[in-house]
Amino acid sequence: MAQINIQGFQIRGVSSVVPEHELSNLDYELLTMSERKMLIKTTGIEKRRVAKTGVTTSDLAIQAANKLFDKLKWKRNEIEILVFITQSRDYYLPSTAVVSQNKLKLPVSCIAFDVGLGCSGYVYGLSIITSMMKAGGLKKGILLAGDVSTVSCNYKDKSAYPLFGDAGTATFIENTEGTNNWIFDLNSDGSGEDAIKIYDGGVRNLPSLESFLEKEYSGGIFRNGFNLALNGLDIFNFSVTTVPKAILSFLNLNSKTTESFDYFIMHQANLLMNETIRKKLKFDKEITPYSLKDYGNTSSASIPLTMTTMKGLNKEVSLLISGFGVGLSWANAIIENNPIEYLLLNNYEDE
Amino acid sequence: MGIQDLIKKLENELDEVENGSLTPETSIRDVEWWSSMHALVIIALIDTEYDVAISGADLKTIFTIQDIFNVIQEKKKNGSN
């Protein structure tokens, strides 16, 4: 088990920005009304936010960061590291983090790079940024996380289309040299690479005219090569077997139980899956928050987005967070934190 | 566990099913409301209640409630979970 222990970090603020435009799964015409109701009940996803064409993850995340700069009064020239977790970058190159460094008016001395992870990405991101800050003695860092996933989902793919929403988030992290502990457990299994995949557009399958051709898959599902393909059953089985086992051994290794935490915040995949994990681990419903109903699966933004919908992080807390999915990749963390000063959730404002 | 216990749990879990309407011979795929979502609901139920993981390959062998019961028994016996 690859475990990373880091001392003395605090999340000072978390900010989410979501597109204003909302879609309801009750209006999804490819399903009958009773199927729509079944879908909402099972996945827990009623509504999703969808970015306008041309609005990118960085547009959302930069606005989220700017809102926190306004509140926290951090000086932009104090920021020494910016890590951007996304699988829907602005350009093939350069890195979205570097573009964002300039747009956020951060100094050129700032470290900035992207990490291409999805559902596990926020937990990975916290470990990456704090590890580098610890090693370099850096004081202040920004973790941006999110995706505009809706551009990749085909309306005629009922196995994926109703699940995803768009969001960008910013988390401001300070190295306080205090004694609180953050512990990370990070994992990967590329044998499951086909479970969630966009096949074309990378170097393996270069974009071609054929990439645009829509093909029919089983059960009246249509996709082209740039669309996200999701094998629901594989993901489901991975999530309800591998993930709880990993969390349990992580807790055992660190002499923790479900009682040790104020909140268990999971990646928001779908309610049936998340509830199965929760029940297997015997976490109380009251300490397991969800934002699925209004926002769907927002990829690496789902944990910070959920944090910004919660009450209760305005006190000293011990959190268990867990991200799992595309890769396959899964990551858990124990986060001890002082009251988080600002938790902001805003609609995207056109610029 | 007995098959009646499984039937009771399935009847509780599935909104479309009335209590007392399922038998071991009921073919779950032949009911008009069946969808892939129901498959996931049943897999989740079996995972939570019996700690048995049903794979995609298992699912292909399952047609009736008796088939579900047999897969659970088989997996419990082999300790394959």
Side-chain angles (χ1 to χ4, degrees):
Chain A
M1 179 182 273
Q3 183 162 302
I4 295 173
N5 288 265
I6 302 266
Q7 253 191 355
F9 284 84
Q10 295 289 340
I11 295 172
R12 292 298 189 205
V14 184
S15 171
S16 306
V17 165
V18 291
E20 196 171 8
H21 182 54
E22 193 172 69
L23 284 184
S24 168
N25 281 337
L26 270 179
D27 300 329
Y28 185 42
E29 290 172 338
L30 258 65
L31 299 176
T32 64
M33 193 44 89
S34 69
E35 285 174 330
R36 289 176 218 176
K37 285 180 179 158
M38 173 74 182
L39 172 90
I40 291 168
K41 187 177 167 236
T42 313
T43 63
I45 301 165
E46 195 176 318
K47 292 179 284 188
R48 307 171 293 113
R49 299 298 184 94
V50 178
K52 278 186 196 161
T53 305
V55 171
T56 69
T57 310
S58 75
D59 293 334
L60 303 174
I62 286 170
Q63 209 164 83
N66 280 331
K67 300 265 183 204
L68 264 184
F69 270 119
D70 290 346
K71 294 282 185 189
L72 270 173
K73 309 290 178 207
W74 280 16
K75 293 192 180 73
R76 290 173 194 255
N77 62 12
E78 292 174 336
I79 308 301
E80 294 173 289
I81 180 165
L82 173 75
V83 179
F84 204 135
I85 312 289
T86 189
Q87 298 196 128
S88 48
R89 53 189 189 243
D90 286 12
Y91 306 104
Y92 205 94
L93 56 92
S95 170
T96 308
V98 180
V99 174
S100 305
Q101 170 271 334
N102 180 49
K103 289 191 174 169
L104 281 167
K105 301 185 180 65
L106 306 182
V108 295
S109 57
C110 181
I111 301 167
F113 60 93
D114 288 357
V115 175
L117 288 170
C119 321
S120 65
Y122 186 69
V123 185
Y124 261 88
L126 286 176
S127 80
I128 293 164
I129 197 166
T130 53
S131 299
M132 290 190 78
M133 288 171 77
K134 191 79 181 173
L138 315 179
K139 291 290 284 179
K140 287 178 177 167
I142 298 177
L143 178 66
L144 302 180
D147 272 309
V148 168
S149 306
T150 56
V151 291
S152 309
C153 293
N154 194 316
Y155 184 79
K156 289 183 275 183
D157 181 352
K158 56 192 176 193
S159 69
Y161 178 82
L163 304 180
F164 293 93
D166 303 328
T169 67
T171 304
F172 281 28
I173 297 160
E174 189 168 0
N175 183 352
T176 63
E177 287 155 21
T179 56
N180 65 311
N181 270 316
W182 290 8
I183 311 172
F184 297 94
D185 160 44
L186 311 171
N187 310 274
S188 10
D189 180 6
S191 73
E193 66 173 300
D194 291 341
I196 306 178
K197 199 169 196 172
I198 296 174
Y199 281 84
D200 290 7
V203 179
R204 178 73 60 204
N205 300 316
L206 288 167
S208 67
L209 285 177
E210 201 185 330
S211 307
F212 290 96
L213 286 179
E214 215 167 63
K215 293 178 192 155
E216 184 172 2
Y217 295 84
S218 64
I221 286 168
F222 292 84
R223 281 195 300 270
N224 71 30
F226 299 123
N227 291 144
L228 181 143
L230 185 139
N231 183 328
L233 197 57
D234 282 359
I235 277 289
F236 189 87
N237 275 321
F238 154 71
S239 303
V240 302
T241 53
T242 308
V243 174
K245 271 187 199 154
I247 293 175
L248 211 54
S249 44
F250 178 54
L251 296 185
N252 287 339
L253 190 67
N254 293 288
S255 309
K256 301 276 186 190
T257 67
T258 54
E259 310 283 301
S260 314
F261 302 98
D262 298 295
Y263 294 103
F264 173 39
I265 310 175
M266 273 181 277
H267 164 59
Q268 308 284 298
N270 82 56
L271 192 64
L272 181 67
M273 218 152 91
N274 286 44
E275 277 291 282
T276 307
I277 296 171
R278 183 189 68 75
K279 286 178 199 163
K280 285 181 105 165
L281 292 170
K282 301 189 171 62
F283 274 96
D284 281 347
K285 237 182 168 137
E286 291 68 38
I287 66 162
T288 313
Y290 289 112
S291 62
L292 276 165
K293 182 170 171 277
D294 294 321
Y295 302 101
N297 178 343
T298 55
S299 185
S300 58
S302 76
I303 293 173
L305 174 62
T306 303
M307 289 167 74
T308 57
T309 63
M310 289 169 62
K311 294 185 175 72
L313 296 176
N314 55 354
K315 59 175 195 285
E316 204 172 298
V317 282
S318 181
L319 307 175
L320 176 65
I321 61 174
S322 177
F324 45 86
V326 58
L328 302 168
S329 173
W330 62 107
N332 307 305
I334 296 165
I335 303 285
E336 294 173 349
N337 212 84
N338 286 343
I340 299 177
E341 287 151 64
Y342 292 101
L343 292 155
L344 312 173
L345 172 54
N346 289 285
N347 281 343
Y348 180 69
E349 293 156 17
D350 282 317
E351 283 166 353
Chain B
M1 64 166 270
I3 194 161
Q4 287 309 322
D5 174 61
L6 172 66
I7 285 176
K8 204 171 282 173
K9 285 184 169 127
L10 287 170
E11 286 174 343
N12 278 340
E13 193 68 23
L14 300 167
D15 285 349
E16 294 84 351
V17 175
E18 279 180 32
N19 282 351
S21 68
L22 292 182
T23 68
E25 293 76 34
T26 307
S27 173
I28 49 168
R29 288 170 196 263
D30 290 343
V31 289
E32 41 104 22
W33 44 261
W34 179 254
S35 72
S36 60
M37 205 68 78
H38 290 90
L40 290 185
V41 171
I42 291 176
I43 290 173
L45 174 82
I46 293 167
D47 200 296
T48 314
E49 296 290 335
Y50 301 104
D51 200 23
V52 164
I54 306 272
S55 68
D58 295 329
L59 203 60
K60 291 200 176 88
T61 70
I62 289 173
F63 296 93
T64 64
I65 308 283
Q66 185 70 47
D67 294 335
I68 301 177
F69 184 72
N70 293 348
V71 169
I72 297 172
Q73 294 286 71
E74 191 67 20
K75 294 211 166 203
K76 280 270 183 207
K77 200 168 70 194
N78 296 336
S80 60
N81 192 37

